[in-house]
Amino acid sequence: DTAVSQTPKYLVTQMGNDKSIKCEQNLGHDTMYWYKQDSKKFLKIMFSYNNKELIINETVPNRFSPKSPDKAHLNLHINSLELGDSAVYFCASSNGRRDEQFFGPGTRLTVL
Amino acid sequence: RKEVEQDPGPFNVPEGATVAFNCTYSNSASQSFFWYRQDCRKEPKLLMSVYSSGNEDGRFTAQLNRASQYISLLIRDSKLSDSATYLCVVNRENSGYALNFGKGTSLLVTP
């Protein structure tokens, strides 16, 4: 029973393409997140949704657009991919803003 | 100043050793503190929450000093399986639902 799942696990694509990453959690949590972990292993918040409402939108290029169709799902669409977008993208969820966050296995994006 | 700062290491210790990691944070309003563990090419997983009074979970002890904005993690009797990156994590109390992660401290336990 996977708590937070992401698809795909690996994504290799060309510059300029548009791609999506999907995330689902079966923990009944109200809050979901997208984090980016770059080549230096630094994990940084990108977006946060609470009950389908956008709460945090960090300084992220508007080529990145999150979508939350319901509170169990948070997808990330990326337009016009650039080399610098290569990273591992983690989805996470929590039951409150001070609670432990549960992470998905990550999506390793490589832009060629 | 970075929001959460850690010594990146690496810390190379023999099995059975005791090792301590330190972390400082800049947001004095933060209310939740954690240590996460991340294995190579895996997702971060919660190791333990950190409470003001300090707390222990088996071989792991976490301490919080709010006045100094300082968090520590002590690992006793290190095992080979403790080899990982340890992430100091602090909630962003003033700006929504997210966590600020330190860059992590790398630990390698050797036979």
Side-chain angles (χ1 to χ4, degrees):
Chain A
D1 287 345
T2 305
V4 183
S5 58
Q6 292 179 231
T7 54
K9 193 167 183 181
Y10 298 96
L11 188 51
V12 181
T13 188
Q14 299 285 334
M15 261 196 324
N17 284 350
D18 303 339
K19 291 292 178 187
S20 291
I21 308 172
K22 295 187 175 182
C23 177
E24 176 181 1
Q25 54 94 4
N26 62 8
L27 298 166
H29 288 164
D30 290 335
T31 311
M32 296 185 73
Y33 314 79
W34 277 111
Y35 289 87
K36 177 180 179 180
Q37 189 167 43
D38 59 26
S39 57
K40 295 181 180 175
K41 308 298 182 190
F42 187 44
L43 200 66
K44 193 166 182 188
I45 183 72
M46 299 174 69
F47 301 103
S48 170
Y49 271 74
N50 180 252
N51 273 321
K52 302 193 298 173
E53 181 186 349
L54 182 65
I55 300 295
I56 293 175
N57 184 350
E58 287 292 279
T59 310
V60 176
N62 57 16
R63 298 182 294 104
F64 290 79
S65 51
K67 281 191 172 53
S68 182
D70 55 64
K71 73 174 194 177
H73 296 84
L74 180 61
N75 304 324
L76 183 65
H77 187 76
I78 316 170
N79 289 328
S80 304
L81 278 155
E82 300 178 357
L83 294 176
D85 297 332
S86 295
V88 182
Y89 292 84
F90 287 102
C91 176
S93 73
S94 71
N95 206 22
R97 64 189 175 108
R98 293 180 181 165
D99 289 354
E100 170 191 1
Q101 293 185 13
F102 293 81
F103 284 77
T107 295
R108 189 170 296 273
L109 172 65
T110 303
V111 182
L112 303 174
Chain B
R1 181 182 173 185
K2 291 192 175 65
E3 306 224 26
V4 181
E5 297 209 51
Q6 294 180 249
D7 179 348
F11 284 60
N12 293 341
V13 303
E15 266 187 295
T18 295
V19 62
F21 303 140
N22 303 318
C23 164
T24 57
Y25 61 96
S26 60
N27 185 354
S28 59
S30 293
Q31 297 292 324
S32 301
F33 310 89
F34 309 91
W35 284 100
Y36 276 70
R37 170 189 169 135
Q38 187 172 23
D39 292 290
C40 188
R41 301 178 78 87
K42 297 285 190 181
E43 72 272 24
K45 290 185 178 176
L46 180 71
L47 178 67
M48 58 197 301
S49 300
V50 186
Y51 303 116
S52 296
S53 53
N55 48 298
E56 189 174 305
D57 183 2
R59 298 180 294 109
F60 299 85
T61 301
Q63 298 279 352
L64 168 65
N65 183 324
R66 284 185 185 271
S68 305
Q69 293 177 210
Y70 171 93
I71 305 164
S72 65
L73 177 68
L74 185 76
I75 305 175
R76 290 182 299 277
D77 189 23
S78 299
K79 311 289 185 195
L80 296 177
S81 58
D82 293 335
S83 297
T85 297
Y86 290 83
L87 302 165
C88 178
V89 184
V90 176
N91 84 308
R92 292 168 44 152
E93 189 70 18
N94 294 339
S95 54
Y97 298 67
L99 299 175
N100 281 332
F101 284 78
K103 286 196 173 184
T105 299
S106 176
L107 173 66
L108 178 63
V109 181
T110 55

